[in-house]
Amino acid sequence: MDYQAVLEEVAAYARPLVRRGRVADYIPALERVPADRFGIAVADIHGAVHGVGDWEVPFSVQSISKAFSLALVMAQSPGSQGEDGIWKRVGREPSGTPFNSLVQLEAENGIPRNPFINAGALVVTDRLQTLTGDASTSMLEFLREESGNPDLAFDPAVAESEAGHGDRNAALAHFMASFGNLENPVPSVIEHYFWQCAIEMSCRDLAVAGGFLARHGLRADGSRLLEAREAKRINAVMLTCGTYDAAGEFAYRVGLPAKSGVGGGIIAVIPGRCTLCVWSPGLDARGNSVAGAAALDHFTTLTGWSVF
């Protein structure tokens, strides 16, 4: 596979869509990101990386971090007992409602529908905090190791911007705490969640760091992070829940497990082959990158690679 040629064709296809959509403006620090950015990278399971456009420009990972926090919780709670533990506190079903909705929590007794909506991610962060004592730093250290980039860092301006406009997330956390579904104090959980979302990475960094999901749980150094069945389950939840309440449409168009973020990034996995990351800040009404989704759609069309 000539990845570079494919990526160049994908980029040519997606670039006319780059200025469509709207840059996230409910987090002021994200609103300042130039709307004309576009990058895409692919990392194969052997470590080779290819990219086009702004593929080495760091951006705010936002909700893409949720896939990594779930993986770390599952890795640090090995065996069925640990897995059952987190899955008793968060479901595995698509939500059908916006990622920051309060509606389902009351009807479902404080159990979030899946780990990739904000309520579910707060529960996972809470569990990671219990397991590590420092959820955000443990994630940053893991991402530095897996990406091979020791310079990865938090963006304090983004974290502070989220904290200053995080009333809905605070409401979600307090509501779940009232049902006994948080182990740590709400302010601590929210703080670590915001800092995780404020990690800056490039398409190159994310494609490489997510490689363990394409390698059936093996880390970049060959050691095992997850059992193959656990990696399979994370990929399955990414497919059904990873692109907010547009997961069905995304699966129909692209056919890959993926996790998007309102920073404009999308990471996608082709198990046994490679991991991709695309970035373009313009979002559709459901919070997914317009050009990014189109690029991944075209990639799977050109290659014929999907999980179906």
Side-chain angles (χ1 to χ4, degrees):
M1 167 65 69
D2 186 344
Y3 282 115
Q4 196 66 35
V6 171
L7 292 183
E8 288 172 3
E9 185 170 345
V10 166
Y13 173 84
R15 279 198 178 100
L17 304 175
V18 164
R19 287 191 171 274
R20 296 191 185 179
R22 183 176 181 178
V23 176
D25 57 5
Y26 67 95
I27 301 172
L30 297 184
E31 187 178 14
R32 296 190 288 271
V33 177
D36 60 354
R37 295 287 197 175
F38 176 85
I40 185 169
V42 58
D44 71 21
I45 59 172
H46 306 295
V49 190
H50 305 269
V52 170
D54 299 311
W55 69 294
E56 295 182 292
V57 176
F59 61 91
S60 184
V61 302
Q62 292 296 306
S63 286
I64 296 175
S65 65
K66 297 171 182 177
F68 293 102
S69 60
L70 177 61
L72 288 176
V73 165
M74 293 178 70
Q76 296 190 46
S77 300
S80 60
Q81 180 178 359
E83 185 178 334
D84 287 346
I86 192 61
W87 295 124
K88 288 179 180 177
R89 299 177 56 195
V90 61
R92 298 187 290 267
E93 296 295 333
S95 66
T97 59
F99 59 86
N100 59 357
S101 174
L102 284 153
V103 173
Q104 290 172 332
L105 278 178
E106 184 168 14
E108 297 178 357
N109 299 315
I111 305 296
R113 186 64 67 91
N114 67 68
F116 296 147
I117 55 175
N118 287 14
L122 287 164
V123 170
V124 175
T125 296
D126 174 62
R127 183 60 184 154
L128 188 59
Q129 178 69 5
T130 297
L131 291 168
T132 65
D134 191 337
S136 53
T137 300
S138 65
M139 179 183 290
L140 179 61
E141 291 174 349
F142 172 76
L143 292 171
R144 284 172 173 171
E145 292 173 4
E146 287 306 289
S147 68
N149 183 356
D151 296 325
L152 293 185
F154 302 110
D155 183 338
V158 171
E160 291 170 9
S161 186
E162 293 208 49
H165 297 78
D167 291 338
R168 178 67 66 93
N169 286 315
L172 291 167
H174 281 292
F175 196 78
M176 290 186 295
S178 73
F179 281 95
N181 200 16
L182 289 184
E183 300 170 329
N184 297 281
V186 166
S188 174
V189 174
I190 295 172
E191 179 182 12
H192 283 278
Y193 174 72
F194 287 153
W195 282 103
Q196 287 173 350
C197 291
I199 294 172
E200 280 201 320
M201 299 176 72
S202 66
C203 291
R204 179 260 172 215
D205 295 328
L206 279 164
V208 175
F212 67 91
L213 291 170
R215 292 187 294 268
H216 309 295
L218 292 180
R219 297 185 63 166
D221 64 3
S223 64
R224 183 162 291 283
L225 176 72
L226 300 166
E227 294 300 321
R229 68 170 188 165
E230 294 171 330
K232 176 192 72 174
R233 289 172 177 175
I234 292 175
N235 282 329
V237 180
M238 287 172 67
L239 178 70
T240 58
C241 308
T243 47
Y244 308 123
D245 56 329
E249 176 66 18
F250 190 89
Y252 176 81
R253 290 180 61 192
V254 178
L256 295 176
K259 185 69 200 84
S260 60
V262 296
I266 308 174
I267 186 172
V269 182
I270 305 177
R273 291 187 183 271
C274 61
T275 309
L276 299 111
C277 182
V278 62
W279 173 51
S280 180
L283 309 178
D284 63 21
R286 292 172 172 175
N288 298 307
S289 170
V290 174
L296 292 171
D297 181 5
H298 199 55
F299 182 91
T300 56
T301 298
L302 290 174
T303 61
W305 292 351
S306 81
V307 298
F308 301 110

